Every structure is written in C-alpha cells, then in structure tokens.
Amino acid sequence: MRYRVFTEDDFQTMSELDLLVQQQDSGWASLPEREQEGRLRTSLPALRFYLRSEHSFIAEEREAGNETPGGLLTGIVFAQSVWMGDKPIILVTACLVRPGQGGDTNTAAGLLHAVIKSAYDAAVYEIHYPLTPQLEGAAQAEGSHLAGRYAVHHLGSRQQTAPGERLAGGGYTDAGRSG
C-alpha cells in the first residue's frame, strides 16, 4: 500500500471511489438527488481545496516494485488546518475506504497515520477526527484520546435525510422553537 498526496490526475478516480462508498448506504438510492450530491465529498472545488491543504492523502495498491502512481485507489482522507483562536489543529473531515478490499481498517489506519505525520511535520500537534468504525482501531493504535462523540447538525430539510444515527429529540422547527 502506498499513501501519498493526490494530484489533479487523481480527481476522476477519487470521485468514482466517493460515489462507490456512498452507494454502500442502503438508503442511498431513495435519497433526493440534492441530498445525494450533498453527501459526495469530491466536487471539483472541494478536491482543489483539499489538494492545497497539504494534509489530505490517498491510498493506492500497486504491484511490488512499481513506484509510479496509478495503482488501485483504495482510500482517501480529507483533512485541513484550522486556526482555533489560540492554536492550529488539523481537522479530518472524511475518510473514505473502498469497500470489500479486506483491509478497510488497515487502509484507514494508514491514511490517519499519514495525516498525523503531516501534522507533526507542519508543527501542528493536535488532530481532530470523527471516531468512525473504520478509524476506531487506528485511534487505539495511535493512542488517541476520546474527547466525546462527534456530532453534526444539519439545517433545513437535510436534517431529515442526513447520514448517521439520529439522536433523540425533535430539533427546531422553522419557527426556531422545539417541536
């Protein structure tokens, strides 16, 4: 497995992998087109942004002894530097791994390790990431600290179709009150 910074030449295969990962969700086909588009992380503007972030990587399988890019894309991690007012952190926003490769957790662990190394090289000493099932083993191997659960609140109609486990509660109505 090789972990490297991606280039514009990788954009098409990254988009294909993103779509493949999203389609693994059993409810994907029934989502409105707008919601499907909202779940994809590989729009051209997003890919260009993460290309410049210097903390985003891809994983690819390649034949032994072959050092040239272009192997099977097996994973992507998107991360960016964020200024928190008193210090920088690296924020991992997505880790996408090709389903059915048998090494899903190994690929995710390698991608997280690449982010940790790039953060260290940039003198950023704090990495924040959602503790997904794919990253749980990597978090333990790296000795990360669990500081709560990571939650995302979507506004508008996306609250009804957003990915992840919905927590109990009604949320806010359009009028801004619980309901």
Side-chain angles (χ1 to χ4, degrees):
M1 191 70 62
R2 177 180 179 184
Y3 302 93
R4 65 174 176 85
V5 175
F6 57 88
T7 68
E8 286 189 14
D9 293 338
D10 299 307
F11 285 5
Q12 180 63 38
T13 54
M14 292 170 73
S15 293
E16 291 166 3
L17 177 61
D18 186 13
L19 181 60
L20 178 66
V21 168
Q22 298 306 325
Q23 289 173 335
Q24 299 306 301
D25 179 346
S26 61
W28 170 264
S30 65
L31 292 172
E33 184 178 335
R34 184 173 142 194
E35 176 64 19
Q36 288 179 351
E37 289 173 10
R39 289 192 186 187
L40 294 172
R41 301 293 187 113
T42 51
S43 68
L44 187 56
L47 290 172
R48 286 189 174 143
F49 172 80
Y50 285 111
L51 177 66
R52 291 187 308 271
S53 80
E54 300 180 8
H55 300 292
S56 298
F57 299 92
I58 61 172
E60 60 185 5
E61 280 186 0
R62 57 193 158 93
E63 297 175 18
N66 182 1
E67 294 299 319
T68 60
L72 176 66
L73 182 66
T74 59
I76 306 166
V77 65
F78 292 128
Q80 64 187 26
S81 181
V82 177
W83 180 250
M84 299 301 290
D86 61 347
K87 65 184 170 207
I89 67 164
I90 301 298
L91 175 63
V92 174
T93 58
C95 183
L96 308 171
V97 178
R98 181 177 297 278
Q101 290 302 115
D104 293 3
T105 56
N106 290 338
T107 300
L111 288 165
L112 180 61
H113 189 74
V115 171
I116 291 170
K117 179 164 181 354
S118 80
Y120 183 82
D121 291 346
V124 177
Y125 301 110
E126 198 169 312
I127 298 98
H128 292 232
Y129 56 96
L131 191 61
T132 63
Q134 284 179 325
L135 290 174
E136 193 166 347
Q140 290 178 355
E142 294 288 350
S144 296
H145 293 254
L146 187 59
R149 294 169 56 184
Y150 186 84
V152 178
H153 185 84
H154 296 272
L155 301 176
S157 63
R158 290 215 42 226
Q159 182 71 351
Q160 302 305 314
T161 58
E165 172 190 349
R166 180 140 187 206
L167 300 175
Y172 289 96
T173 64
D174 289 337
R177 57 187 181 274
S178 249

